[in-house]
Amino acid sequence: MEQSRTKKFLLYLFAFWLLWEWLMPLETVSDTKNVGVFIAFIAFCFLLSFLQVRFWLAACLKLGYIFYAVNHLFFHAPFFSFLWMPKLLQEVIDHIPIIAHFRWIEMTDVFRSFLFFLLLWMLTYLVQYWLFIQRRILLFYATTVAYVSVLDTFTAFRGNGAIVRLVAGGFFLLSWLQYEKLPGTKQYKKWLFVCTASISLSIFAGYIGPKLVPQWPDPIAFIKRYTQEAEQGTSGSSVKKIGYGNNDSQLGGPFIADNAIVFTAEDKQDHYWRVETKDIYTGKGWIARDDVQIQTFADENNVHRWFEDGVKKEVLTAKVHTAQPYTYLIYPEGLKKVKGPEGVVFRLQVANEKIYPTDRESYIFALQEYELTYEYPTFSVEQLKAARPLTDEQMLKRYTQLPESLPKRVRELAQRIVAGKTTTYDKVKAIEQYFHLNGFVYETKDVAVPRGKQDYVDQFLFETKKGYCDNFSTSMVVLLRSLHIPARWVKGYTSGQWISKTDDGKNVYSITNKNAHSWVEVYFSGIGWVPFEPTQGFSNPYEFTQPVSEVKPAPAQQSPHSVEKRTKLNDVLRGEQVSSTNWKDKIATMFDWRTIVELMIGCAAIAWLLYRFRRKWWPYITLWMFRQKHGNELFIKAYVSLLRHLKDYGLKKKEGQTLRQYAAYVDEWFGTKEMSQLTNLYERAIYRNENVDTEWNKIKELWENLIKRTAS
Amino acid sequence: MLKNESLQPMIAAMIENIEKVIVGKREIATLSTVALLAGGHVLLEDVPGVGKTMLVRAIAKSINAQFRRIQFTPDLLPSDVIGVSIYNQKEMQFEYKPGPIMGNVILADEINRTSPKTQSALLEAMEEGNVTVDGVTRPLPRPFFVMATQNPIEYEGTYPLPEAQLDRFLLKLKMGYPSLAEEIDILNRMENISPIEELQPVIDVEELLSLRQSVKKVYIDERVKRYIVEIVQRSRSHASVYLGVSPRGSIALMKAAQAYAFMHHRDFVIPDDVQLLAPYVLSHRIILKPDAKFDGISAEHIVAEIVARTPVPFQR
């Protein structure tokens, strides 16, 4: 008795230790604090089990501990005042919708800790089950080793001590459990000696043995290179889904554009639709200037202009109809007039050129339909080339801002690109062209996020060269700024997809989330803000007139349809499946040879797995089958099937072995008497030709127990 | 012996009785009882002084039967065994003087020391159950149980029993020396009065005969019979065997198994009974090839090997 108590205690210690190894790294690798509280909790759980405290009492005590710890860590209320109770209850209630909608990020620390306690509670049961009932811990042990080694490899956690502990203690535990399972007389001391000696010998050998330098490249860099996407998953920036967001301070990461319609427009020309501009580059993204200056206009915009007088302009009108009311205006550059509902005043935020419709008391007034009058510019290349550098110091400072952290090589690259170019326009065009020629790829999925101190532009220009409009436009702005060319980053939409023509000759465009875009505006003295398009697969919708003498292929002036086509073509080139609405095609793709081969391999794998793990499920099928069956001599069939299962389990009856000898062997293995009892009955059935159907019904439970054992 | 099986109370009492005299030889006691119940005879092969005589006497006393002892010597004549007719001058006729064989439990000591003629006289009596003297056939008393002994060490001047004769013994047993503790126990028991003197009978002859009838009714399934025959037939085709077990051996094995099952409260034979008895029933019925003997292989080895390899029937 005393012996078994000590044994039990030792096993509990092992259980505690294994879980402890799981908790120890948490402080290093996660934001978990006060790990001690959790460790104390598992120790408490195991202690209660060891003392064989009744289940309900143990549950109460554990809950008490959890409440006390949560209160102590978060609420700081006196425990017996029970003030924490409504708070905790509120937390739980608040989290029901959060869990229901998988908004894990919104979970509070209180609730997370609470859940963590519950998880640990369950884990203690699980480990106990493995150790005391199943008497096998290999799976959990291997998981623990894997856990520690992965943390050691990929995080700041150093698992040297943990690994040595795990090898020594874990092997001891494994061999102990195996020893307990051995049938027959056991030589405890011999086993202890052999076990201890072999483990210490192997640890000693491992300790003194020569350690090779890493044979593989650093797995982190290696994996990073191949799975940038996965890496970004862990960095916290999830896949962006919406086409147009307000926060651009952390650019990068994959981007899923959907086809939800944002607005439709009736317009004569295609042009960019602006929403706002941002001009402070942080090294990670864009933020707006902290400037609250607002300019107000009623319907005629006489407060802000984008082009100087020297630019050739055409006055056009457009109608915008948004899918849902928006609190800001979507407008073309050169906006002159807005015709909205009666009494609406427009307020333009000077810092980012975002225009908010408001009522007279300056409450935001979301608009869904409005008519715009704007000046559509046509830029003369000659004029642009002749533009003088900007002299306005304040403006120059504002639009050539760059972070101090910008790597030098970005500036050097800019210098290299524009080498030999004299005019600002030529420089700008050179940089715009640079993105079309130097291996840059338009990509929305496999897009990196700059890590640590890495610069967003630097990463794109020199490392990944893969990205979407934000990468291209931001990089162009930064390159220009490094050359002291005033430039800014503009967000909005492209002209969208052409749908139809109205009776008065206007085009109807549909602009979806997919058309969200960002581009570049460069300031030319005497001309104004001129848009440029560095992004691959997109083209500048504005017109640039060439002097007649210069024979140069005109920049691709593409209709909206061809823009769409180009994008789509790119998509196809990237191997994306364009969703086919033709069901015949779908079926055809389903039954191509590759699918069939994959299916066959899959089936074979499943069949193999089923066969490989038949011991786990087949006994239960047998149980079920025999529960359904009725009739005479069922017992003989059941017994023979039990023999088969035992054989599968690894307890094979030898040819010359009698049933009794075999039953004794089986019973010794399982520590039961059931097989012998069954065998006595079977002997009567088979060697005496006795009808044992009535006895079988009484003894059936023994048979079921044994069948279940073969499944463990 | 089989585990977890209780004995018939009468049998248990008898074995207990024997064990009072013979220390630590439960197996021998049980097997002797098997032979007694199956109506067979036992050949005890062992060195002198290990308690063979004690065993036989204890059995005789337990069943309250007449015990006779015949010490076989080279000059012993058949008439010294089966008896002789003497002319009674007063009655004016030949009168049958019964020999020592006219008893229930006979100890035939050192049977290989006597001439084959005398040996066969005994063995014939064993087989037939009666003796014929001067043309008159006289039945032997019932039960008639012979325990013959032979000394395997001294071969000088002996007449080893031929195979045909050995076949008539149901079992061949070896007593072997007692262990240290057992031998000390023997000394303790012998200090005062020999326990054999105090032995009380547990069953009488009539009861034994009715038990024998019951043994014959023990059911033996076709499958088990087939198993017995298979074991016996394998002995005939074994590479090291010159002469295998005869059908008489099969019958002996079956009868012994029936007795054994009966002793253990069973009215049917299981392969375990067969396996357990096979070495005792079959070993002395096998003649090994000379080269096998030379290799140190014994008949017991071969029987064990055959039993281990013969598939046990366990399915319909």
Side-chain angles (χ1 to χ4, degrees), chain A residues 633 656 658 682 686-688, chain B residues 223 267 272 275 313-314 316:
Chain A
E633 308 208 320
T658 64
Y682 185 73
I686 193 95
Y687 300 129
R688 195 173 181 263
Chain B
R223 278 174 285 269
D267 58 357
D272 297 76
Q275 276 201 1
F314 67 97
R316 280 248 159 110

Side-chain angles (χ1 to χ4, degrees), chain A residues 386-605:
Chain A
R388 309 205 135 271
L390 184 68
T391 46
D392 183 340
E393 272 305 315
Q394 209 189 338
M395 201 170 167
L396 194 63
K397 199 181 158 200
R398 177 176 168 185
Y399 291 114
T400 56
Q401 169 276 344
L402 282 175
E404 299 239 322
S405 61
L406 186 74
K408 228 172 115 190
R409 58 177 177 173
V410 177
R411 294 175 192 274
E412 287 164 1
L413 176 70
Q415 293 291 348
R416 267 208 309 284
I417 296 169
V418 300
K421 308 286 183 206
T422 48
T423 68
T424 306
Y425 176 75
D426 285 338
K427 288 177 183 175
V428 174
K429 284 309 270 187
I431 288 175
E432 191 190 37
Q433 283 302 309
Y434 176 76
F435 294 100
H436 293 277
L437 300 172
N438 290 285
F440 290 92
V441 178
Y442 185 86
E443 167 74 62
T444 55
K445 292 201 177 88
D446 179 19
V447 180
V449 179
R451 304 273 289 174
K453 288 184 175 164
Q454 196 168 28
D455 187 272
Y456 174 67
V457 167
D458 182 80
Q459 184 190 36
F460 174 67
L461 286 175
F462 297 104
E463 286 175 21
T464 60
K465 292 196 171 186
K466 274 193 263 181
Y468 44 91
C469 54
D470 287 352
N471 297 78
F472 287 95
S473 55
T474 305
S475 300
M476 180 165 171
V477 173
V478 168
L479 286 170
L480 288 172
R481 285 183 173 187
S482 77
L483 298 167
H484 285 279
I485 298 169
R488 66 184 180 186
W489 186 69
V490 193
K491 282 172 69 184
Y493 296 90
T494 60
S495 41
Q497 181 154 16
W498 181 89
I499 291 176
S500 59
K501 242 182 159 68
T502 58
D503 298 337
D504 55 345
K506 281 186 177 173
N507 297 314
V508 180
Y509 299 96
S510 149
I511 292 98
T512 64
N513 265 332
K514 218 173 169 178
N515 298 114
H517 193 47
S518 62
W519 61 96
V520 179
E521 283 180 1
V522 182
Y523 190 79
F524 287 88
S525 302
I527 295 157
W529 289 105
V530 179
F532 288 91
E533 181 52 272
T535 308
Q536 286 238 329
F538 290 80
S539 61
N540 199 330
Y542 289 96
E543 281 180 34
F544 290 74
T545 52
Q546 300 283 349
V548 186
S549 57
E550 210 175 329
V551 183
K552 196 178 163 190
Q557 292 290 315
Q558 281 161 331
S559 70
H561 334 299
S562 62
V563 169
E564 284 304 315
K565 265 184 195 150
R566 275 191 69 176
T567 331
K568 272 189 179 163
L569 190 64
N570 267 350
D571 284 348
V572 174
L573 289 174
R574 282 197 311 274
E576 276 181 19
Q577 284 280 324
V578 178
S579 71
S580 164
T581 45
N582 189 343
W583 62 273
K584 274 184 186 165
D585 286 357
K586 272 188 181 167
I587 289 175
T589 52
M590 259 169 72
F591 287 103
D592 71 343
W593 63 270
R594 222 179 116 178
T595 322
I596 291 169
V597 168
E598 281 168 3
L599 260 173
M600 280 167 67
I601 292 173
C603 288

Side-chain angles (χ1 to χ4, degrees), chain B residues 213-230:
Chain B
Q213 287 308 310
S214 309
V215 165
K216 282 182 187 158
K217 286 180 195 147
V218 168
Y219 176 76
I220 179 156
D221 193 76
E222 262 337 287
R223 278 174 285 269
V224 183
K225 283 181 191 160
R226 180 179 284 271
Y227 180 58
I228 290 173
V229 171
E230 203 152 312

